[in-house]
Amino acid sequence: MTQNSNEPSIERELSEIAARLADCYLGTFTHATVERYVFESYQALAASVRLRAFLPALTERFADDRLTALVQSQSFDPHAVPQVLFICDRNAARSQMAAALLAKRTRGRVGIRSAGSRPAAELELEVIEAMAEIGADLSAEYPKPLTDEFVAAADIVVTVGCGDACPVLPGKRYLDWNVPDPAGRPPIEIRRIRDELDLLIGDLIGYLPGAEAADIHNPRGTVS
C-alpha cells in the first residue's frame, strides 16, 4: 500500500472490514484470503474513486461481491439463479443502466453485476436522472473494476463497449450490444439509449430460465 499520513488508520479500517467479512465467509475462505481480497479491492477502487470518504464502505461492498462471485464460480447449483455480467469501458453509464433495467424487470430472479474495463470516478449524473424517471435508483451505485471473479461467476456476459479489454472464458455465453455511449449527450438522447437498452433487456430475458415470470405484468420495465 502507498505510504501516506493516513496509512495506519486506513490499514486498521481495512483490517476491521476483513474481520467482518471473514466471519461472513467462515468455513469457506480463510481470514488471510478475505484480508487479501479486501486490501486488493481497496487498491483497485482507490485508483478511480473521487470521494475518498466513501472508499472504505465501497471497499467492503466490492470485496464482498468479489468473494460471493468466487463462491459462485467454484460451485455448481442447478437451482441457482442465472448470473449476468454487464461490461462497458467506464461502468458509469451503459452497463449500469442495463444492470438496473434487468434488475427492475426480473425482481431478484437473476443475479446481476456490472463492471468497467477502465472504471470512471463516478456515474454520469444525467444517466442517474434518466433512470430515476422510470423508477430505477442508481444513486448508491459506483463504477467497479472488472475482475476475473465476476467473469467466472457469470452465465452470460454482455459487453456494451469495453474494446479489447473484456476477457473471454470458455463455456460462457457472450453478447455484444452496439449501443452509443450516453456520456455528454443531451437528456433526450440518453432516454433513447435507455429505451434501446430496455428493448435489448427484453430479448435477454428470453435466454434466462425463470426470469420471464417476474416480467409478466410490466413487459417494458417502465413505471406504471
Side-chain angles (χ1 to χ4, degrees), residues 95-124:
S95 56
Q96 295 275 4
M97 295 169 79
L101 289 165
L102 181 58
K104 190 173 189 300
R105 295 179 65 162
T106 57
R107 302 186 183 100
R109 297 177 188 267
V110 177
I112 305 164
R113 293 184 176 90
S114 70
S117 53
R118 297 181 300 111
E122 57 192 2
L123 269 63
E124 298 282 343

Side-chain angles (χ1 to χ4, degrees), residues 17 21 24-25 29 34 37-38 41 45 57-73 83-86 91 96 99 111-115 141-154:
I17 291 171
L21 290 179
C24 295
Y25 292 94
F29 299 119
V34 173
Y37 268 77
V38 168
S41 296
L45 291 176
L58 295 181
T59 295
E60 186 161 1
R61 287 175 58 186
F62 185 43
D64 189 17
D65 202 8
R66 290 180 64 199
L67 290 165
T68 299
L70 185 59
V71 171
Q72 292 167 337
S73 68
Q83 301 291 318
V84 179
L85 171 64
F86 295 98
N91 194 218
Q96 295 275 4
I112 305 164
R113 293 184 176 90
S114 70
E141 296 302 322
Y142 64 101
K144 297 169 289 293
L146 179 61
T147 72
D148 292 341
E149 301 88 19
F150 287 177
V151 178

Side-chain angles (χ1 to χ4, degrees), residues 7-30:
E7 183 174 346
S9 61
I10 289 295
E11 289 196 353
R12 281 195 301 273
E13 197 159 5
L14 295 180
S15 295
E16 291 170 359
I17 291 171
R20 286 195 296 271
L21 290 179
D23 286 342
C24 295
Y25 292 94
L26 189 65
T28 303
F29 299 119
T30 66

